[in-house]
mmCIF file of all heavy atoms in Angstrom:
data_model
loop_
_atom_site.group_PDB
_atom_site.id
_atom_site.type_symbol
_atom_site.label_atom_id
_atom_site.label_comp_id
_atom_site.label_asym_id
_atom_site.label_seq_id
_atom_site.Cartn_x
_atom_site.Cartn_y
_atom_site.Cartn_z
ATOM 1 N N THR A 8 -0.873 -61.556 89.472
ATOM 2 C CA THR A 8 -0.244 -60.245 89.661
ATOM 3 C C THR A 8 -1.198 -59.134 89.281
ATOM 4 O O THR A 8 -1.385 -58.168 90.039
ATOM 5 C CB THR A 8 1.040 -60.149 88.815
ATOM 6 O OG1 THR A 8 1.970 -61.132 89.275
ATOM 7 C CG2 THR A 8 1.661 -58.768 88.898
ATOM 8 N N PHE A 9 -1.835 -59.262 88.124
ATOM 9 C CA PHE A 9 -2.757 -58.207 87.679
ATOM 10 C C PHE A 9 -4.007 -58.180 88.531
ATOM 11 O O PHE A 9 -4.565 -57.100 88.788
ATOM 12 C CB PHE A 9 -3.065 -58.352 86.193
ATOM 13 C CG PHE A 9 -1.948 -57.841 85.339
ATOM 14 C CD1 PHE A 9 -0.990 -58.697 84.834
ATOM 15 C CD2 PHE A 9 -1.830 -56.480 85.056
ATOM 16 C CE1 PHE A 9 0.056 -58.239 84.059
ATOM 17 C CE2 PHE A 9 -0.793 -56.006 84.281
ATOM 18 C CZ PHE A 9 0.162 -56.883 83.781
ATOM 19 N N TYR A 10 -4.450 -59.321 89.026
ATOM 20 C CA TYR A 10 -5.597 -59.337 89.919
ATOM 21 C C TYR A 10 -5.271 -58.592 91.209
ATOM 22 O O TYR A 10 -6.044 -57.753 91.671
ATOM 23 C CB TYR A 10 -6.024 -60.787 90.219
ATOM 24 C CG TYR A 10 -7.144 -60.841 91.220
ATOM 25 C CD1 TYR A 10 -8.449 -60.581 90.842
ATOM 26 C CD2 TYR A 10 -6.890 -61.114 92.567
ATOM 27 C CE1 TYR A 10 -9.491 -60.609 91.768
ATOM 28 C CE2 TYR A 10 -7.910 -61.145 93.490
ATOM 29 C CZ TYR A 10 -9.202 -60.878 93.095
ATOM 30 O OH TYR A 10 -10.228 -60.901 94.003
ATOM 31 N N LYS A 11 -4.093 -58.916 91.787
ATOM 32 C CA LYS A 11 -3.703 -58.225 93.022
ATOM 33 C C LYS A 11 -3.516 -56.729 92.780
ATOM 34 O O LYS A 11 -3.847 -55.910 93.638
ATOM 35 C CB LYS A 11 -2.409 -58.833 93.570
ATOM 36 C CG LYS A 11 -2.631 -60.138 94.303
ATOM 37 C CD LYS A 11 -1.425 -60.550 95.086
ATOM 38 C CE LYS A 11 -1.536 -59.933 96.429
ATOM 39 N NZ LYS A 11 -1.037 -60.695 97.537
ATOM 40 N N ALA A 12 -2.959 -56.384 91.629
ATOM 41 C CA ALA A 12 -2.756 -54.969 91.303
ATOM 42 C C ALA A 12 -4.108 -54.257 91.204
ATOM 43 O O ALA A 12 -4.257 -53.139 91.700
ATOM 44 C CB ALA A 12 -1.983 -54.834 89.986
ATOM 45 N N MET A 13 -5.068 -54.920 90.601
ATOM 46 C CA MET A 13 -6.391 -54.325 90.460
ATOM 47 C C MET A 13 -7.012 -54.124 91.847
ATOM 48 O O MET A 13 -7.580 -53.075 92.143
ATOM 49 C CB MET A 13 -7.285 -55.220 89.607
ATOM 50 C CG MET A 13 -8.680 -54.660 89.423
ATOM 51 S SD MET A 13 -9.750 -55.738 88.445
ATOM 52 C CE MET A 13 -10.106 -57.019 89.630
ATOM 53 N N ALA A 14 -6.875 -55.103 92.692
ATOM 54 C CA ALA A 14 -7.480 -55.021 94.021
ATOM 55 C C ALA A 14 -6.776 -54.004 94.921
ATOM 56 O O ALA A 14 -7.392 -53.418 95.790
ATOM 57 C CB ALA A 14 -7.453 -56.395 94.678
ATOM 58 N N ALA A 15 -5.481 -53.805 94.708
ATOM 59 C CA ALA A 15 -4.704 -52.956 95.604
ATOM 60 C C ALA A 15 -4.241 -51.662 94.938
ATOM 61 O O ALA A 15 -3.324 -51.013 95.437
ATOM 62 C CB ALA A 15 -3.487 -53.729 96.109
ATOM 63 N N ARG A 16 -4.846 -51.283 93.891
ATOM 64 C CA ARG A 16 -4.390 -50.100 93.134
ATOM 65 C C ARG A 16 -4.319 -48.850 93.998
ATOM 66 O O ARG A 16 -3.435 -48.015 93.813
ATOM 67 C CB ARG A 16 -5.309 -49.873 91.935
ATOM 68 C CG ARG A 16 -4.944 -48.704 91.058
ATOM 69 C CD ARG A 16 -3.621 -48.931 90.380
ATOM 70 N NE ARG A 16 -3.381 -47.776 89.507
ATOM 71 C CZ ARG A 16 -2.470 -47.708 88.620
ATOM 72 N NH1 ARG A 16 -1.663 -48.727 88.438
ATOM 73 N NH2 ARG A 16 -2.316 -46.654 87.889
ATOM 74 N N ALA A 17 -5.184 -48.754 94.971
ATOM 75 C CA ALA A 17 -5.167 -47.572 95.849
ATOM 76 C C ALA A 17 -3.847 -47.500 96.606
ATOM 77 O O ALA A 17 -3.395 -46.432 96.981
ATOM 78 C CB ALA A 17 -6.334 -47.609 96.811
ATOM 79 N N GLY A 18 -3.194 -48.648 96.830
ATOM 80 C CA GLY A 18 -1.941 -48.681 97.568
ATOM 81 C C GLY A 18 -0.721 -48.425 96.705
ATOM 82 O O GLY A 18 0.406 -48.433 97.208
ATOM 83 N N PHE A 19 -0.925 -48.197 95.391
ATOM 84 C CA PHE A 19 0.201 -47.953 94.497
ATOM 85 C C PHE A 19 0.840 -46.604 94.782
ATOM 86 O O PHE A 19 0.186 -45.580 94.720
ATOM 87 C CB PHE A 19 -0.261 -48.018 93.041
ATOM 88 C CG PHE A 19 0.775 -47.565 92.039
ATOM 89 C CD1 PHE A 19 1.967 -48.255 91.918
ATOM 90 C CD2 PHE A 19 0.555 -46.452 91.247
ATOM 91 C CE1 PHE A 19 2.908 -47.855 90.992
ATOM 92 C CE2 PHE A 19 1.493 -46.042 90.332
ATOM 93 C CZ PHE A 19 2.680 -46.744 90.206
ATOM 94 N N GLY A 20 2.119 -46.647 95.130
ATOM 95 C CA GLY A 20 2.845 -45.410 95.382
ATOM 96 C C GLY A 20 3.441 -44.889 94.100
ATOM 97 O O GLY A 20 4.104 -45.616 93.365
ATOM 98 N N LYS A 21 3.211 -43.656 93.780
ATOM 99 C CA LYS A 21 3.667 -43.079 92.518
ATOM 100 C C LYS A 21 5.181 -42.935 92.435
ATOM 101 O O LYS A 21 5.717 -42.695 91.383
ATOM 102 C CB LYS A 21 3.012 -41.704 92.286
ATOM 103 C CG LYS A 21 1.530 -41.768 92.080
ATOM 104 C CD LYS A 21 1.200 -42.424 90.756
ATOM 105 C CE LYS A 21 -0.312 -42.427 90.538
ATOM 106 N NZ LYS A 21 -0.714 -43.179 89.389
ATOM 107 N N GLU A 22 5.899 -43.101 93.581
ATOM 108 C CA GLU A 22 7.355 -42.973 93.528
ATOM 109 C C GLU A 22 7.988 -44.110 92.744
ATOM 110 O O GLU A 22 9.064 -43.978 92.222
ATOM 111 C CB GLU A 22 7.955 -42.885 94.942
ATOM 112 C CG GLU A 22 7.761 -44.110 95.801
ATOM 113 C CD GLU A 22 6.424 -44.157 96.535
ATOM 114 O OE1 GLU A 22 5.625 -43.204 96.437
ATOM 115 O OE2 GLU A 22 6.162 -45.165 97.204
ATOM 116 N N ALA A 23 7.307 -45.257 92.663
ATOM 117 C CA ALA A 23 7.801 -46.377 91.861
ATOM 118 C C ALA A 23 6.992 -46.409 90.570
ATOM 119 O O ALA A 23 5.813 -46.067 90.546
ATOM 120 C CB ALA A 23 7.625 -47.678 92.626
ATOM 121 N N GLY A 24 7.617 -46.847 89.492
ATOM 122 C CA GLY A 24 6.903 -46.976 88.231
ATOM 123 C C GLY A 24 5.926 -48.146 88.292
ATOM 124 O O GLY A 24 6.058 -49.050 89.123
ATOM 125 N N GLU A 25 4.945 -48.117 87.413
ATOM 126 C CA GLU A 25 3.945 -49.176 87.404
ATOM 127 C C GLU A 25 4.572 -50.540 87.135
ATOM 128 O O GLU A 25 4.217 -51.524 87.774
ATOM 129 C CB GLU A 25 2.873 -48.875 86.349
ATOM 130 C CG GLU A 25 1.978 -47.723 86.717
ATOM 131 C CD GLU A 25 0.990 -47.370 85.640
ATOM 132 O OE1 GLU A 25 1.347 -47.474 84.440
ATOM 133 O OE2 GLU A 25 -0.125 -46.963 85.995
ATOM 134 N N LEU A 26 5.513 -50.608 86.205
ATOM 135 C CA LEU A 26 6.148 -51.890 85.894
ATOM 136 C C LEU A 26 6.934 -52.407 87.103
ATOM 137 O O LEU A 26 6.861 -53.599 87.432
ATOM 138 C CB LEU A 26 7.067 -51.777 84.682
ATOM 139 C CG LEU A 26 7.775 -53.067 84.275
ATOM 140 C CD1 LEU A 26 6.770 -54.157 83.946
ATOM 141 C CD2 LEU A 26 8.703 -52.814 83.096
ATOM 142 N N THR A 27 7.621 -51.536 87.801
ATOM 143 C CA THR A 27 8.371 -51.929 88.999
ATOM 144 C C THR A 27 7.408 -52.469 90.050
ATOM 145 O O THR A 27 7.672 -53.494 90.684
ATOM 146 C CB THR A 27 9.159 -50.738 89.554
ATOM 147 O OG1 THR A 27 10.027 -50.249 88.535
ATOM 148 C CG2 THR A 27 9.949 -51.117 90.787
ATOM 149 N N TRP A 28 6.315 -51.786 90.219
ATOM 150 C CA TRP A 28 5.293 -52.197 91.189
ATOM 151 C C TRP A 28 4.722 -53.563 90.816
ATOM 152 O O TRP A 28 4.626 -54.455 91.664
ATOM 153 C CB TRP A 28 4.209 -51.126 91.217
ATOM 154 C CG TRP A 28 3.034 -51.403 92.096
ATOM 155 C CD1 TRP A 28 3.030 -51.570 93.455
ATOM 156 C CD2 TRP A 28 1.673 -51.507 91.678
ATOM 157 N NE1 TRP A 28 1.743 -51.779 93.893
ATOM 158 C CE2 TRP A 28 0.890 -51.732 92.830
ATOM 159 C CE3 TRP A 28 1.030 -51.406 90.447
ATOM 160 C CZ2 TRP A 28 -0.481 -51.875 92.773
ATOM 161 C CZ3 TRP A 28 -0.336 -51.548 90.407
ATOM 162 C CH2 TRP A 28 -1.084 -51.780 91.556
ATOM 163 N N LEU A 29 4.388 -53.769 89.543
ATOM 164 C CA LEU A 29 3.837 -55.037 89.093
ATOM 165 C C LEU A 29 4.850 -56.181 89.251
ATOM 166 O O LEU A 29 4.518 -57.279 89.683
ATOM 167 C CB LEU A 29 3.394 -54.936 87.633
ATOM 168 C CG LEU A 29 2.164 -54.058 87.390
ATOM 169 C CD1 LEU A 29 1.993 -53.789 85.892
ATOM 170 C CD2 LEU A 29 0.913 -54.702 87.967
ATOM 171 N N CYS A 30 6.103 -55.901 88.926
ATOM 172 C CA CYS A 30 7.142 -56.926 89.062
ATOM 173 C C CYS A 30 7.394 -57.291 90.530
ATOM 174 O O CYS A 30 7.671 -58.446 90.851
ATOM 175 C CB CYS A 30 8.438 -56.489 88.377
ATOM 176 S SG CYS A 30 8.314 -56.562 86.570
ATOM 177 N N ALA A 31 7.259 -56.315 91.404
ATOM 178 C CA ALA A 31 7.408 -56.599 92.850
ATOM 179 C C ALA A 31 6.274 -57.509 93.318
ATOM 180 O O ALA A 31 6.512 -58.455 94.081
ATOM 181 C CB ALA A 31 7.428 -55.299 93.652
ATOM 182 N N ILE A 32 5.069 -57.252 92.861
ATOM 183 C CA ILE A 32 3.936 -58.113 93.204
ATOM 184 C C ILE A 32 4.190 -59.512 92.652
ATOM 185 O O ILE A 32 4.032 -60.515 93.360
ATOM 186 C CB ILE A 32 2.611 -57.550 92.639
ATOM 187 C CG1 ILE A 32 2.245 -56.227 93.330
ATOM 188 C CG2 ILE A 32 1.485 -58.573 92.776
ATOM 189 C CD1 ILE A 32 1.077 -55.498 92.688
ATOM 190 N N ALA A 33 4.616 -59.591 91.394
ATOM 191 C CA ALA A 33 4.877 -60.894 90.760
ATOM 192 C C ALA A 33 5.966 -61.665 91.484
ATOM 193 O O ALA A 33 5.842 -62.879 91.713
ATOM 194 C CB ALA A 33 5.262 -60.681 89.299
ATOM 195 N N LYS A 34 7.028 -60.983 91.872
ATOM 196 C CA LYS A 34 8.127 -61.628 92.575
ATOM 197 C C LYS A 34 7.647 -62.190 93.907
ATOM 198 O O LYS A 34 7.965 -63.320 94.261
ATOM 199 C CB LYS A 34 9.272 -60.642 92.800
ATOM 200 C CG LYS A 34 10.468 -61.258 93.528
ATOM 201 C CD LYS A 34 11.549 -60.245 93.752
ATOM 202 C CE LYS A 34 11.068 -59.258 94.781
ATOM 203 N NZ LYS A 34 12.038 -58.381 95.332
ATOM 204 N N ASN A 35 6.863 -61.415 94.636
ATOM 205 C CA ASN A 35 6.340 -61.888 95.928
ATOM 206 C C ASN A 35 5.410 -63.088 95.743
ATOM 207 O O ASN A 35 5.458 -64.036 96.527
ATOM 208 C CB ASN A 35 5.633 -60.750 96.660
ATOM 209 C CG ASN A 35 6.603 -59.716 97.170
ATOM 210 O OD1 ASN A 35 7.769 -60.004 97.429
ATOM 211 N ND2 ASN A 35 6.140 -58.488 97.290
ATOM 212 N N LEU A 36 4.598 -63.064 94.700
ATOM 213 C CA LEU A 36 3.727 -64.212 94.423
ATOM 214 C C LEU A 36 4.556 -65.445 94.076
ATOM 215 O O LEU A 36 4.243 -66.559 94.502
ATOM 216 C CB LEU A 36 2.757 -63.884 93.279
ATOM 217 C CG LEU A 36 1.627 -62.911 93.623
ATOM 218 C CD1 LEU A 36 0.907 -62.470 92.354
ATOM 219 C CD2 LEU A 36 0.653 -63.549 94.597
ATOM 220 N N PHE A 37 5.613 -65.247 93.297
ATOM 221 C CA PHE A 37 6.501 -66.355 92.933
ATOM 222 C C PHE A 37 7.137 -66.969 94.177
ATOM 223 O O PHE A 37 7.127 -68.183 94.360
ATOM 224 C CB PHE A 37 7.575 -65.887 91.959
ATOM 225 C CG PHE A 37 8.622 -66.939 91.697
ATOM 226 C CD1 PHE A 37 8.354 -68.016 90.871
ATOM 227 C CD2 PHE A 37 9.880 -66.836 92.276
ATOM 228 C CE1 PHE A 37 9.316 -68.993 90.638
ATOM 229 C CE2 PHE A 37 10.837 -67.800 92.043
ATOM 230 C CZ PHE A 37 10.565 -68.888 91.228
ATOM 231 N N TYR A 38 7.673 -66.118 95.059
ATOM 232 C CA TYR A 38 8.293 -66.627 96.280
ATOM 233 C C TYR A 38 7.286 -67.331 97.175
ATOM 234 O O TYR A 38 7.596 -68.361 97.789
ATOM 235 C CB TYR A 38 9.018 -65.523 97.046
ATOM 236 C CG TYR A 38 10.291 -65.076 96.359
ATOM 237 C CD1 TYR A 38 10.659 -63.751 96.346
ATOM 238 C CD2 TYR A 38 11.140 -65.983 95.729
ATOM 239 C CE1 TYR A 38 11.823 -63.331 95.717
ATOM 240 C CE2 TYR A 38 12.297 -65.578 95.111
ATOM 241 C CZ TYR A 38 12.638 -64.254 95.101
ATOM 242 O OH TYR A 38 13.792 -63.867 94.484
ATOM 243 N N ASP A 39 6.081 -66.806 97.257
ATOM 244 C CA ASP A 39 5.031 -67.479 98.029
ATOM 245 C C ASP A 39 4.752 -68.858 97.465
ATOM 246 O O ASP A 39 4.603 -69.829 98.213
ATOM 247 C CB ASP A 39 3.738 -66.651 98.027
ATOM 248 C CG ASP A 39 3.812 -65.370 98.838
ATOM 249 O OD1 ASP A 39 4.775 -65.223 99.625
ATOM 250 O OD2 ASP A 39 2.926 -64.520 98.672
ATOM 251 N N GLU A 40 4.674 -68.951 96.146
ATOM 252 C CA GLU A 40 4.419 -70.231 95.477
ATOM 253 C C GLU A 40 5.563 -71.206 95.706
ATOM 254 O O GLU A 40 5.345 -72.392 95.962
ATOM 255 C CB GLU A 40 4.191 -70.019 93.982
ATOM 256 C CG GLU A 40 3.937 -71.295 93.208
ATOM 257 C CD GLU A 40 2.665 -72.025 93.602
ATOM 258 O OE1 GLU A 40 1.757 -71.437 94.218
ATOM 259 O OE2 GLU A 40 2.585 -73.236 93.292
ATOM 260 N N MET A 41 6.786 -70.742 95.664
ATOM 261 C CA MET A 41 7.945 -71.609 95.895
ATOM 262 C C MET A 41 7.952 -72.136 97.335
ATOM 263 O O MET A 41 8.262 -73.304 97.558
ATOM 264 C CB MET A 41 9.249 -70.884 95.585
ATOM 265 C CG MET A 41 9.465 -70.565 94.113
ATOM 266 S SD MET A 41 9.447 -72.020 93.036
ATOM 267 C CE MET A 41 7.782 -71.990 92.386
ATOM 268 N N ARG A 42 7.606 -71.280 98.273
ATOM 269 C CA ARG A 42 7.523 -71.726 99.667
ATOM 270 C C ARG A 42 6.434 -72.779 99.819
ATOM 271 O O ARG A 42 6.607 -73.795 100.500
ATOM 272 C CB ARG A 42 7.277 -70.546 100.604
ATOM 273 C CG ARG A 42 8.515 -69.752 100.920
ATOM 274 C CD ARG A 42 8.263 -68.739 102.019
ATOM 275 N NE ARG A 42 7.422 -67.638 101.592
ATOM 276 C CZ ARG A 42 7.860 -66.531 101.008
ATOM 277 N NH1 ARG A 42 9.155 -66.383 100.776
ATOM 278 N NH2 ARG A 42 7.037 -65.574 100.655
ATOM 279 N N ARG A 43 5.310 -72.564 99.159
ATOM 280 C CA ARG A 43 4.199 -73.504 99.218
ATOM 281 C C ARG A 43 4.616 -74.841 98.604
ATOM 282 O O ARG A 43 4.399 -75.907 99.191
ATOM 283 C CB ARG A 43 2.972 -72.953 98.492
ATOM 284 C CG ARG A 43 1.734 -73.825 98.649
ATOM 285 C CD ARG A 43 0.568 -73.332 97.799
ATOM 286 N NE ARG A 43 0.784 -73.529 96.391
ATOM 287 C CZ ARG A 43 0.690 -74.717 95.768
ATOM 288 N NH1 ARG A 43 0.367 -75.788 96.443
ATOM 289 N NH2 ARG A 43 0.898 -74.812 94.474
ATOM 290 N N GLN A 44 5.274 -74.806 97.457
ATOM 291 C CA GLN A 44 5.705 -76.049 96.798
ATOM 292 C C GLN A 44 6.781 -76.764 97.613
ATOM 293 O O GLN A 44 6.785 -77.983 97.693
ATOM 294 C CB GLN A 44 6.223 -75.756 95.391
ATOM 295 C CG GLN A 44 5.130 -75.439 94.408
ATOM 296 C CD GLN A 44 5.647 -75.199 93.013
ATOM 297 O OE1 GLN A 44 6.802 -75.490 92.689
ATOM 298 N NE2 GLN A 44 4.799 -74.638 92.160
ATOM 299 N N LYS A 45 7.681 -75.995 98.202
ATOM 300 C CA LYS A 45 8.739 -76.589 99.022
ATOM 301 C C LYS A 45 8.118 -77.313 100.217
ATOM 302 O O LYS A 45 8.525 -78.418 100.573
ATOM 303 C CB LYS A 45 9.714 -75.516 99.481
ATOM 304 C CG LYS A 45 10.864 -76.028 100.295
ATOM 305 C CD LYS A 45 11.800 -74.890 100.667
ATOM 306 C CE LYS A 45 12.910 -75.351 101.556
ATOM 307 N NZ LYS A 45 13.773 -74.243 101.964
ATOM 308 N N HIS A 46 7.121 -76.693 100.825
ATOM 309 C CA HIS A 46 6.442 -77.293 101.969
ATOM 310 C C HIS A 46 5.753 -78.592 101.553
ATOM 311 O O HIS A 46 5.858 -79.601 102.234
ATOM 312 C CB HIS A 46 5.435 -76.305 102.559
ATOM 313 C CG HIS A 46 4.664 -76.840 103.711
ATOM 314 N ND1 HIS A 46 5.226 -77.039 104.951
ATOM 315 C CD2 HIS A 46 3.370 -77.227 103.803
ATOM 316 C CE1 HIS A 46 4.303 -77.533 105.764
ATOM 317 N NE2 HIS A 46 3.179 -77.656 105.096
ATOM 318 N N LEU A 47 5.068 -78.566 100.394
ATOM 319 C CA LEU A 47 4.388 -79.768 99.918
ATOM 320 C C LEU A 47 5.391 -80.861 99.556
ATOM 321 O O LEU A 47 5.178 -82.024 99.840
ATOM 322 C CB LEU A 47 3.518 -79.430 98.696
ATOM 323 C CG LEU A 47 2.304 -78.557 98.968
ATOM 324 C CD1 LEU A 47 1.610 -78.202 97.658
ATOM 325 C CD2 LEU A 47 1.337 -79.240 99.904
#
């Protein structure tokens, strides 16, 4: 999550708080991982 945030910081919209933005990234990474594990 923090790696992606660092790489995409320019895309951070100030309308959302930083914690909200980080949690959204984390949630998407979690769902991606669950899809990957389900497939395996």
Side-chain angles (χ1 to χ4, degrees):
T8 297
F9 282 96
Y10 176 79
K11 282 193 88 145
M13 180 181 75
R16 181 66 177 191
F19 170 63
K21 294 291 182 187
E22 63 276 357
E25 289 176 325
L26 180 59
T27 303
W28 177 62
L29 291 168
C30 286
I32 293 171
K34 180 181 71 168
N35 289 333
L36 287 169
F37 172 76
Y38 288 141
D39 289 346
E40 179 64 19
M41 292 302 99
R42 280 189 289 273
R43 186 186 70 76
Q44 286 182 13
K45 182 178 176 183
H46 178 72
L47 292 175

